């Protein structure tokens, strides 16, 4: 197989930068790497392996000269560039929410539904960060004991929002420690020393769109239209790594030992669960890592068929860039790219 010409759209953003790192770390078979971004970022230099690569303004022409394009520049940009690139024969793995729920567009987590890539039409959607880590942890259990209902509460890092949010958390933390008042810009309220039950916009039914994504994307990825999901998505003053308290109701009872046994053999999962030594996942331990970490696995005392668990993963890696690159690797392996 010949090596691929790869483009990254949104190359200067947090996920864009993570794309570059992950491609390099995994030795992705590429011949060339084109970095694209908005006009505002064009001309910037990005250092890759000691080499400076110039960032170009995204155009249809530049995009159409590659085999694979990884997009993370927001839904609007994806809607402008992805369909045309796909028509020109480029395979687009899109990290935005633009196409995720569109029928016929695969929404893929390689550990769960790689077969959905078959017959793709050029656009493949990368799921939402909170959804990815949840399905990696739950799908192996669902396969042996169907899940009926999921109640999930998230604790999401500010890096999901982007660089401005990271800066806002740092600035506000300094102000608050200095006894001064912080004025919020990125979020509607202070995020330093605070938590906000608000991610993405609020919808008609009073859930947020992030909560809606966890419900609908989970069903699509797991091919489980009957699973009921209720999420509360919360922003916390953490830089990297999303955490989730998950309560699952199965068709039949499942013991914590069985769940640990299954998850211990599941791809992409790492169990961290030893209460005697205070071993459980937390964002500072998960940041920069590839795995979905699972701990605090216990019986849900509120339901005979219930389990409770705590799931943590790096939202920019498995939650975004790593999952997208794994999709591309899967396509290469199966000869679908
Ligand atoms: O990919 O953390 O749908 O504010 C949208 C919300 C990514 C994270 C998505 C956040 C998410 C983002």
């Amino acid at each position: 197989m010949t090596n691929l010409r790869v483009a990254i759209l949104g190359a200067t953003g947090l996920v864009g930068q993570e794309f570059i790192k992950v491609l390099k770390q995994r030795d992705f078979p590429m011949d060339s790497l084109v970095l694209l971004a908005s006009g505002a970022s064009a001309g910037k230099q990005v250092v890759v392996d000691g080499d400076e690569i110039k960032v170009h303004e995204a155009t249809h022409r530049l995009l159409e000269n590659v085999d694979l394009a990884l997009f993370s520049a927001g839904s609007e940009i994806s809607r402008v560039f992805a369909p045309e690139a796909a028509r020109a024969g480029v395979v687009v793995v899109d990290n935005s929410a633009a196409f995720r729920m569109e029928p016929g567009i695969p929404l893929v987590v390689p550990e769960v539904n790689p077969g959905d890539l078959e017959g793709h039409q050029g656009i493949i959607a990368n799921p939402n960060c909170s959804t990815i880590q949840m399905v990696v942890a739950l799908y192996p259990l669902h396969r042996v004991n169907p899940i009926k209902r999921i109640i999930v509460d998230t604790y999401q890092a500010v890096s999901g929002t982007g660089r401005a949010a990271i800066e806002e958390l740092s600035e506000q933390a300094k102000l608050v420690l200095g006894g001064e008042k912080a004025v919020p810009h990125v979020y509607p309220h202070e995020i330093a020393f605070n938590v906000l039950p608000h991610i993405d916009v609020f919808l008609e039914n009073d859930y947020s769109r992030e909560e809606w994504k966890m419900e609908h994307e989970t069903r699509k990825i797991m091919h489980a239209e009957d699973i009921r999901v209720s999420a509360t998505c919360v922003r916390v003053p953490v830089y990297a790594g999303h955490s989730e308290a998950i309560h699952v109701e199965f068709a039949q009872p499942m013991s914590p030992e069985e769940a640990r046994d299954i998850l211990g053999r599941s791809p992409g999962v790492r169990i961290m669960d030893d209460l005697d030594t205070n071993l459980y996942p937390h964002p500072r331990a998960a940041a920069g890592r590839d795995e979905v970490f699972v701990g605090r696995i216990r019986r849900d005392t509120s339901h005979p068929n219930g389990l409770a668990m705590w799931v943590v993963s790096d939202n920019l890696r498995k939650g975004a860039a790593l999952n997208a690159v794994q999709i591309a690797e899967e396509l290469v392996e199966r000869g679908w790219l």
Side-chain angles (χ1 to χ4, degrees), residues 86-293:
R87 264 195 297 278
V90 180
V91 174
V92 175
V93 182
D94 180 40
N95 189 47
S96 83
F99 305 107
R100 287 178 187 153
M101 290 313 298
E102 231 159 84
I105 296 207
L107 179 68
V108 174
V109 176
E111 291 86 344
V112 178
N113 62 333
D116 286 358
L117 293 168
E118 187 169 11
H120 70 78
Q121 301 293 306
I123 301 178
I124 292 130
N126 202 42
N128 165 266
C129 37
S130 300
T131 308
I132 293 175
Q133 67 182 68
M134 183 166 83
V135 299
V136 167
L138 294 188
Y139 186 69
L141 306 176
H142 174 72
R143 282 182 54 175
V144 305
N145 188 348
I147 292 173
K148 300 274 184 211
R149 183 173 184 225
I150 301 167
I151 313 266
V152 55
D153 303 306
T154 69
Y155 306 67
Q156 298 187 218
V158 298
S159 53
T161 314
R163 219 172 256 118
I166 292 189
E167 279 159 27
E168 176 140 306
L169 173 55
S170 300
E171 291 307 314
Q172 284 184 358
K174 281 182 226 152
L175 286 171
V176 174
L177 288 173
E180 285 174 67
K181 182 111 195 66
V183 183
H185 298 288
V186 175
Y187 299 118
H189 307 280
E190 281 176 51
I191 186 60
F193 306 100
N194 206 5
V195 297
L196 305 173
H198 179 181
I199 294 181
D200 208 333
V201 298
F202 291 113
L203 305 173
E204 205 76 312
N205 68 354
D206 295 344
Y207 277 82
S208 70
R209 193 192 277 156
E210 186 81 350
E211 292 158 356
W212 182 92
K213 288 176 223 166
M214 291 194 77
E215 177 182 352
H216 294 270
E217 294 183 19
T218 296
R219 292 196 193 118
K220 178 168 176 177
I221 299 162
M222 294 189 16
H223 297 182
E225 276 314 309
D226 296 337
I227 294 186
R228 285 159 295 158
V229 182
S230 179
T232 299
C233 292
V234 180
R235 186 80 61 193
V236 296
V238 164
Y239 288 121
H242 288 358
S243 307
E244 301 179 340
I246 306 178
H247 290 76
V248 192
E249 179 192 329
F250 296 93
Q252 306 291 328
M254 181 180 289
S255 70
E257 294 71 32
E258 187 184 0
R260 259 183 232 112
D261 181 54
I262 295 166
L263 291 176
R265 295 183 271 109
S266 298
V269 177
R270 176 80 139 258
I271 299 205
M272 273 179 105
D273 199 4
D274 181 17
L275 303 184
D276 293 338
T277 58
N278 295 333
L279 185 69
Y280 39 75
H282 55 87
R284 289 189 82 96
R289 303 283 298 269
D290 286 348
E291 304 95 320
V292 171
F293 296 93

